[in-house]
Amino acid sequence: MWIFIATYENMNLDGSIKSVKRKIEFDGDNFFDTDDECYLYAMRKALKMKQENEYLSCLEFIAC
């Protein structure tokens, strides 16, 4: 099981910035051959999870 935390910054119309963290978990050992493939998968998933007015500011590896 691979675990990452994606941090997003929400740019509100009033100029305030709010951080949001979302967990990404997947079983990479069954699907990927290398660590690089796991990291790239997590990055793609984090970008797809981005909501309106947010940008991805950080992808943090937690455990595998």
Side-chain angles (χ1 to χ4, degrees), residues 9-19 52-53:
E9 303 298 330
N10 187 326
M11 302 295 290
N12 296 318
L13 295 176
D14 63 2
S16 64
I17 299 175
K18 177 183 164 192
S19 291
E52 187 176 343
N53 295 331

Side-chain angles (χ1 to χ4, degrees), residues 26-44:
F26 59 93
D27 188 10
D29 296 335
N30 293 335
F31 302 105
F32 304 111
D33 296 325
T34 66
D35 291 349
D36 288 354
E37 291 175 346
C38 289
Y39 281 96
L40 289 171
Y41 176 79
M43 179 60 80
R44 284 188 205 102

Side-chain angles (χ1 to χ4, degrees), residues 4-7 24 39 42-44 46 56-61:
F4 292 83
I5 297 292
T7 304
I24 299 171
Y39 281 96
M43 179 60 80
R44 284 188 205 102
L56 177 64
S57 64
C58 178
L59 181 65
E60 181 181 4
F61 169 74

Side-chain angles (χ1 to χ4, degrees), residues 8 41-51 56:
Y8 303 89
Y41 176 79
M43 179 60 80
R44 284 188 205 102
K45 190 164 178 109
L47 289 169
K48 287 180 182 178
M49 292 169 55
K50 182 174 69 82
Q51 301 294 313
L56 177 64

